[in-house]
Amino acid sequence: MPRHAHYVPNGVIPAVLLPFADDLAIDEKGFRKHLADVAATEGLSAITVNAHSTEVASCSFEEQHRVLAIAQDEIGGRLPIVNGVWADGSLEAARIARMAEEGGASALLVFPPGPFTLGQSPAMAIEHFKRIADTTSLPLIAFQYPLATGQGYPRETLLRMIEEVPTIRSSVSRG
């Protein structure tokens, strides 16, 4: 259940960094300090965890769960948490979405699966988002890579996604 149940993604939503210890474990003390420092910035509408800047590709499912739990503990009472959903496949993405909702996230930042660099169709993109939307009631934000990467969604695909997946709320255009 989201802590900020009526949150609609909008405004300034920075993605935080994730520090690691020398043994590559999460530096929880450093992460908590960073979260507190970022959350002290006036004008933020939410904070994003488990995105590129949080090294999501290097974190296990369990570590992603821990990152969300630390963020909830440290700043979740003050600001909504947007949790990134980064996975090579739609089934794992849906699993991450369920974990994030159960962990109190208020929205999901959905990255395109890595295999999309090899080619994608509108149907593939829509199905990916539908599988995620079927597992959660949280608002979805579509992360938009540049089209040249092969992972970006053409305008027509984005419009179809928004039409066919009602929980999509906005699109991020910064890579």
Side-chain angles (χ1 to χ4, degrees), residues 2 7 12 22 34 40 42 67 72 80 101 123 132 149 167:
Y7 174 71
V12 178
D22 289 342
H34 178 60
E42 288 189 39
V67 164
Q72 287 292 4
E101 184 168 31
I132 295 166
T149 66
T167 54

Side-chain angles (χ1 to χ4, degrees), residues 81-157:
I81 305 293
V82 175
N83 193 83
V85 175
W86 187 91
D88 279 340
S90 300
L91 297 178
E92 181 64 9
R95 181 177 152 209
I96 293 167
R98 280 191 301 275
M99 174 275 293
E101 184 168 31
E102 290 168 1
S106 297
L108 302 172
L109 174 61
V110 180
F111 294 88
F116 278 19
T117 58
L118 303 173
Q120 63 166 294
S121 68
M124 291 167 65
I126 292 164
E127 184 61 27
H128 181 67
F129 275 84
K130 281 184 175 180
R131 284 194 184 258
I132 295 166
D134 285 348
T135 65
T136 179
S137 61
L138 294 177
L140 306 179
I141 303 167
F143 188 92
Q144 176 68 334
Y145 286 105
L147 291 176
T149 66
Q151 289 186 295
Y153 304 113
R155 181 179 183 275
E156 297 75 28
T157 300

Side-chain angles (χ1 to χ4, degrees), residues 153-173:
Y153 304 113
R155 181 179 183 275
E156 297 75 28
T157 300
L158 283 169
L159 292 173
R160 282 191 54 199
M161 287 165 47
I162 291 166
E163 183 178 300
E164 295 188 36
V165 185
T167 54
I168 293 177
R169 296 291 184 252
S170 64
S171 177
V172 176
S173 61

Side-chain angles (χ1 to χ4, degrees), residues 13-16 35 38-39 44-49 75 79-83:
I13 309 170
V16 294
L35 285 165
V38 173
L44 302 182
S45 65
I47 288 185
T48 300
V49 299
I75 62 168
L79 282 169
I81 305 293
V82 175
N83 193 83

